[in-house]
């Protein structure tokens, strides 16, 4: 569902030497595979391709994610042992789950499903771009608390961290309706969710002109932006987070994790760091577009103010966090005012009435209140907007510049990972 906010002015005890579990020679060995998807929307059913998530990062070959597995092995006395590490051929009991480029996801070392009908395997999977952090896993008692925790991690503007719903007590690749059949034929159902947030900005002008009464004359405005930037040293880019859940004792069950409070990351154990680079409109920066550089005039059609340097659809990744008072957007905009008929304007002969530059940093001194401060526009003070960037959410700030009333319209939209939300705040008030 969409939430629109419109603003106005602008994721082994039984191990053997040949990496498989054997209990009966007459039972064929079936290699363990994975069936993956990434979660499209937390409010309704829907999944999207995990491979497309990697494509967004430029990873078009050698695609993989990580997984840890625990076997619940049948014992000779008819009981089932406590969960024990199963992927022992991997590094620290963690395996790389590799994609063959067609329809198969499987561990780097071959593993096979157990033969006893009482045995099963539980899986914990994740993806961390660049393998920056390997999360710690706690899972010692079937039916007890399980945790998946990331220690200190730095988040880049182009980044991705995902965690899959835990998959408990699976015995085969083919799990019927549980299989997503997006990036694989069959396998352990592995539904990823996003641990980061994404942000982008758009801009448009409204109105472009206004008629002078009932005459054929108009006032026309041409607006160009300049000096677009987010405040340096205010957006946190490192932290940690922990996921918890009660593990399931039921066969073939997926369990979603309980996310941290407010769906934001905690402060790092080490030093807190902040984004200080690529926040402006130089080449390679967040606002690396012609419109942000002032190379083109605004139109009444919204265009991307943020560029394609980082994530798809002109988003950039951010660490989920509270949006503090010092997280501000600054820019200037030049307004050229013309007067004449439509034909004169189209022909370039309309009279130039004035050229002026508006600096949003000066609006507070001009007597305007929230969201204006001396460093620009406070993103958390825009009426109807939000004060957090939460996990698995995308945030869109739509700026609408109104040269007629000196209003900048902000139209931020918050959406769960795939749906949009949009807000109106007058800059300055009429």
């Amino acid at each position: 569902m969409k939430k629109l906010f419109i603003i106005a002015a602008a994721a082994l005890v039984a191990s053997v030497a040949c990496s498989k579990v054997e209990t009966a020679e007459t039972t064929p060995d079936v290699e363990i595979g994975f069936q993956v998807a990434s979660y499209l929307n937390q409010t309704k059913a829907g999944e999207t391709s995990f491979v497309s998530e990697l494509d967004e990062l430029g990873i078009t070959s050698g695609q993989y994610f990580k997984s840890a597995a625990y076997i619940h092995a049948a014992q000779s006395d008819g009981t089932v042992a406590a969960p024990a590490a199963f992927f022992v051929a991997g590094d620290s009991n963690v395996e790389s789950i590799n994609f063959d480029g067609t329809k198969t996801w499987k561990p780097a070392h071959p593993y096979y499903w157990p033969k006893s009908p009482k045995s099963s395997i539980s899986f914990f999977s994740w993806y961390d771009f660049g393998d920056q952090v390997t999360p710690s896993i706690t899972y010692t008692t079937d039916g007890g608390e399980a945790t998946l925790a990331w220690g200190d991690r730095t988040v880049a503007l182009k980044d991705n961290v995902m965690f899959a719903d835990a998959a408990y007590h699976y015995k085969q690749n083919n799990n019927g309706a549980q299989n997503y059949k997006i990036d694989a034929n069959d396998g352990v159902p592995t539904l990823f969710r996003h641990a980061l947030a994404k942000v982008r900005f758009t801009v448009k002008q409204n109105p472009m002109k206004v008629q002078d009464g009932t005459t054929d004359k108009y006032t026309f405005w041409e607006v160009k932006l300049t000096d677009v930037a987010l405040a340096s040293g205010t957006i946190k880019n490192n932290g940690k987070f922990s996921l918890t859940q009660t593990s399931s004792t039921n066969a073939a069950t997926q369990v979603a994790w309980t996310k941290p409070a407010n769906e934001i990351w905690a402060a790092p154990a080490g030093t807190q760091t902040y984004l200080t680079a690529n926040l402006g409109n130089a080449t390679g920066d967040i606002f690396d577009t012609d419109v942000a550089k002032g190379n083109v005039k605004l139109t009444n059609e919204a265009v991307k103010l943020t560029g394609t340097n980082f994530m798809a659809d002109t988003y950039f990744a951010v660490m989920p966090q509270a949006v503090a008072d010092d997280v501000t957007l600054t820019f200037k905009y030049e307004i050229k005012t013309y007067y004449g008929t439509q034909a004169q304007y189209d022909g370039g002969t309309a009279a130039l009435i004035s050229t002026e530059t508006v600096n949003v940093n000066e609006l507070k001194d001009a007597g305007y209140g929230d969201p204006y401060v001396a460093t620009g526009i406070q993103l958390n003070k825009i009426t109807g907007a939000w004060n957090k960037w939460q996990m698995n959410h995308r945030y869109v700030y739509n700026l609408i510049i109104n040269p007629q009333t000196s209003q900048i319209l902000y139209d931020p939209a918050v959406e769960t990972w795939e749906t949009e939300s949009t807000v109106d705040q007058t800059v300055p008030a009429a």
Side-chain angles (χ1 to χ4, degrees):
M1 62 184 288
K2 297 185 179 179
K3 294 182 180 179
L4 300 181
F5 303 92
I6 303 178
I7 314 173
L12 174 61
V13 170
S15 66
V16 293
C18 43
S19 299
K20 60 183 178 182
V21 177
E22 298 177 325
T23 58
E25 291 182 347
T26 57
T27 303
D29 293 329
V30 179
E31 195 169 2
I32 294 172
F34 287 77
Q35 221 292 338
V36 304
S38 62
Y39 204 41
L40 186 65
N41 189 328
Q42 297 225 45
T43 59
K44 61 185 176 73
E47 296 81 34
T48 186
S49 168
F50 179 77
V51 169
S52 67
E53 296 284 336
L54 302 182
D55 287 343
E56 182 178 20
L57 298 169
I59 303 172
T60 57
S61 63
Q63 294 122 328
Y64 69 91
F65 60 90
K66 298 289 187 175
S67 188
Y70 294 81
I71 188 169
H72 310 268
Q75 304 297 291
S76 60
D77 62 0
T79 63
V80 176
F86 182 68
F87 283 164
V88 295
D91 183 16
S92 300
N93 300 322
V94 173
E95 277 289 355
S96 176
I97 311 302
N98 302 320
F99 188 45
D100 70 354
T102 57
K103 282 292 181 180
T104 303
W105 288 90
K106 62 182 180 179
H109 301 88
Y111 297 86
Y112 300 87
W113 289 106
K115 306 304 187 294
S116 170
K118 286 189 175 182
S119 297
S120 63
I121 303 175
S122 297
F123 301 88
F124 301 86
S125 301
W126 64 89
Y127 178 77
D128 188 301
F129 183 40
D131 293 329
Q132 185 180 140
V133 171
T134 296
S136 62
I137 302 170
T138 302
Y139 178 48
T140 58
T141 304
D142 193 26
E145 183 179 70
T147 64
L148 187 62
W150 268 254
D152 289 5
R153 191 191 191 282
T154 298
V155 176
L157 295 169
K158 181 177 182 179
D159 214 339
N160 205 338
V161 178
M162 291 182 284
F163 52 89
D165 290 0
Y168 291 102
H169 299 285
Y170 280 82
K171 301 181 179 183
Q172 60 184 355
N173 291 323
N174 184 357
N175 295 282
Q178 288 195 42
N179 288 123
Y180 304 107
K181 297 188 181 295
I182 295 176
D183 289 332
N185 290 316
D186 286 308
V188 180
T190 308
L191 182 57
F192 284 98
R193 304 173 192 266
H194 298 92
L196 302 181
K198 296 200 290 190
V199 176
R200 79 175 178 195
F201 291 80
T202 72
V203 65
K204 72 176 181 179
Q205 177 184 331
N206 184 47
M208 303 298 296
K209 64 182 181 181
V210 63
Q211 189 171 9
D212 185 1
T214 59
T215 73
D216 63 350
K217 299 291 183 68
Y218 295 83
T219 297
F220 301 88
W221 295 280
E222 294 180 357
V223 177
K224 290 184 177 181
L225 299 183
T226 183
D227 300 333
V228 185
L230 288 165
S232 175
T234 64
I235 299 174
K236 298 175 182 177
N237 72 337
N238 73 326
K240 62 183 180 180
F241 70 97
S242 181
L243 308 167
T244 61
Q245 64 178 234
T246 299
S247 62
S248 176
T249 59
N250 296 325
T253 301
Q254 297 178 75
V255 178
W257 295 95
T258 297
K259 291 183 282 189
N262 295 313
E263 299 186 28
I264 62 175
W265 290 21
T271 302
Q272 181 69 70
T273 60
Y274 299 83
L275 290 172
T276 58
N278 301 114
L279 297 172
N281 62 359
T283 300
D285 282 359
I286 286 175
F287 300 105
D288 181 17
T289 59
D290 281 338
V291 65
K293 293 179 178 180
N295 294 334
V296 296
K297 298 177 292 187
L298 300 186
T299 71
N300 59 1
E301 295 293 329
V303 295
K304 308 295 176 56
L305 189 57
T306 38
T308 59
N309 303 301
F310 305 108
M311 309 300 286
D313 295 327
T314 71
Y315 286 96
F316 56 93
V318 294
M319 187 191 85
Q321 61 193 275
V323 182
D325 288 350
D326 57 357
V327 180
T328 59
L329 175 72
T330 182
F331 59 90
K332 300 174 185 176
Y333 57 100
E334 178 191 79
I335 304 173
K336 287 188 175 181
T337 304
Y338 294 87
Y339 185 80
T341 65
Q342 186 67 57
Q344 288 173 330
Y345 179 74
D346 292 341
T349 60
L352 175 61
I353 303 301
S354 65
T355 300
E356 61 177 331
T357 298
V358 178
N359 185 344
V360 296
N361 294 17
E362 298 172 350
L363 294 178
K364 179 176 177 60
D365 290 339
Y368 296 99
D370 291 342
Y372 307 105
V373 292
T375 55
I377 301 164
Q378 290 179 307
L379 298 186
N380 66 353
K381 293 293 180 66
I382 294 172
T383 303
W386 42 86
N387 59 7
K388 300 178 188 69
W389 290 330
Q390 296 178 297
M391 299 168 68
N392 198 37
H393 284 65
R394 298 187 296 187
Y395 297 89
V396 181
Y397 294 87
N398 297 317
L399 308 181
I400 306 169
I401 296 183
N402 184 335
Q404 179 185 15
T405 61
S406 296
Q407 289 183 325
I408 300 171
L409 300 180
Y410 304 86
D411 186 352
V414 63
E415 58 180 354
T416 56
W417 213 222
E418 88 303 351
T419 57
E420 285 196 358
S421 316
T422 305
V423 183
D424 272 33
Q425 163 67 44
T426 302
V427 183

